[in-house]
C-alpha cells in the first residue's frame, strides 16, 4: 500500500497561501469592463508559448453580436468556467501567420471548435459528404438513408 503524506492544517494553509502569492490572479474587473481583454491576453499567452507572431492590439479585436460563421448570438457567460458555444473566440484566419492585424476575427466558440485544425478542403469534404447523405445518395461505405 502507498502511504499518504499528511500535512498538518497549519502547513496546508501556509502552502495554499504561498501558491496564491506565486500565482497572480487576473484582475476580474478589467475583464468585466472590456471582454476583449480575456481574448487578448489569452491569445498573447498562446502565441508566446507556440512561438508565433503577436502584433495585434485590443482595438483589432471586434466582438460581433452574432457569429459570422454560424449566425448564433455571441455573448460572454459570466460566472462559468470555460467557453460555451456562444462565447466569443479569437480565430486566426491563417494559422501560419499568427495573431497579426488583419488575420484575426472573433467567432463563436462552437464555430472555432468545429473548424479546429481542419483545412478548407477538409471542411468542404465533410459538408459535401453529409449533403449527399441527406439527399439519399448512396456513398461508398455508408448506408442509404430511407
Amino acid at each position: 500500500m502507498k502511504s499518504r503524506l499528511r500535512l498538518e492544517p497549519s502547513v496546508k494553509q501556509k502552502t495554499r497561501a504561498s501558491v496564491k502569492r506565486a500565482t497572480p490572479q487576473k484582475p476580474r474587473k478589467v475583464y468585466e469592463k472590456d471582454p476583449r481583454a480575456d481574448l487578448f491576453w489569452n491569445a498573447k499567452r498562446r502565441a508566446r508559448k507556440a512561438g508565433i507572431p503577436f502584433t495585434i492590439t485590443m482595438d483589432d479585436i471586434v466582438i460581433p453580436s452574432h457569429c459570422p460563421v454560424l449566425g448564433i448570438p455571441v455573448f460572454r457567460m459570466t460566472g462559468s468556467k470555460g467557453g460555451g458555444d456562444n462565447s466569443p473566440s479569437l480565430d486566426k484566419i491563417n494559422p501560419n501567420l499568427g495573431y497579426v492585424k488583419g488575420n484575426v476575427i472573433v467567432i463563436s466558440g462552437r464555430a472555432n471548435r468545429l473548424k479546429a485544425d481542419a483545412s478548407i478542403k477538409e471542411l468542404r469534404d465533410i459538408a459535401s459528404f453529409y449533403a449527399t447523405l441527406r439527399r439519399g445518395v448512396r456513398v461508398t461505405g455508408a448506408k442509404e438513408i430511407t
Side-chain angles (χ1 to χ4, degrees):
M1 287 183 75
K2 292 182 181 178
S3 64
R4 284 188 159 172
L5 177 64
R6 294 184 187 259
L7 297 175
E8 294 297 319
S10 61
V11 175
K12 283 183 185 179
Q13 288 172 346
K14 287 178 186 175
T15 304
R16 285 186 191 132
S18 64
V19 168
K20 283 184 180 180
R21 277 194 305 275
T23 310
Q25 298 298 313
K26 292 180 184 177
R28 289 305 327 158
K29 290 185 180 188
V30 172
Y31 297 118
E32 289 169 4
K33 287 180 183 176
D34 191 352
R36 299 174 305 164
D38 254 340
L39 299 173
F40 179 85
W41 292 108
N42 288 334
K44 189 168 187 165
R45 180 181 40 78
R46 287 190 304 270
R48 188 179 310 127
K49 188 175 180 180
I52 58 175
F54 184 92
T55 59
I56 62 171
T57 64
M58 201 87 77
D59 293 332
D60 295 322
I61 300 172
V62 178
I63 301 176
S65 63
H66 286 76
C67 174
V69 178
L70 301 176
I72 61 175
V74 174
F75 54 88
R76 197 160 162 260
M77 304 258 316
T78 55
S80 66
K81 197 170 186 177
D85 287 349
N86 298 86
S87 296
S89 178
L90 194 60
D91 179 41
K92 298 182 301 284
I93 297 167
N94 180 346
N96 299 324
L97 296 179
Y99 295 97
V100 296
K101 190 176 183 106
N103 192 48
V104 293
I105 186 170
V106 177
I107 60 177
S108 67
R110 173 121 175 101
N112 215 355
R113 282 191 311 276
L114 286 171
K115 73 169 213 58
D117 63 352
S119 69
I120 292 173
K121 182 190 179 313
E122 290 169 328
L123 292 170
R124 283 188 184 133
D125 290 346
I126 291 168
S128 174
F129 175 79
Y130 283 101
T132 57
L133 282 181
R134 286 201 179 117
R135 286 193 301 261
V137 177
R138 183 174 214 136
V139 180
T140 307
K143 294 181 181 177
E144 188 173 328
I145 298 175
T146 53

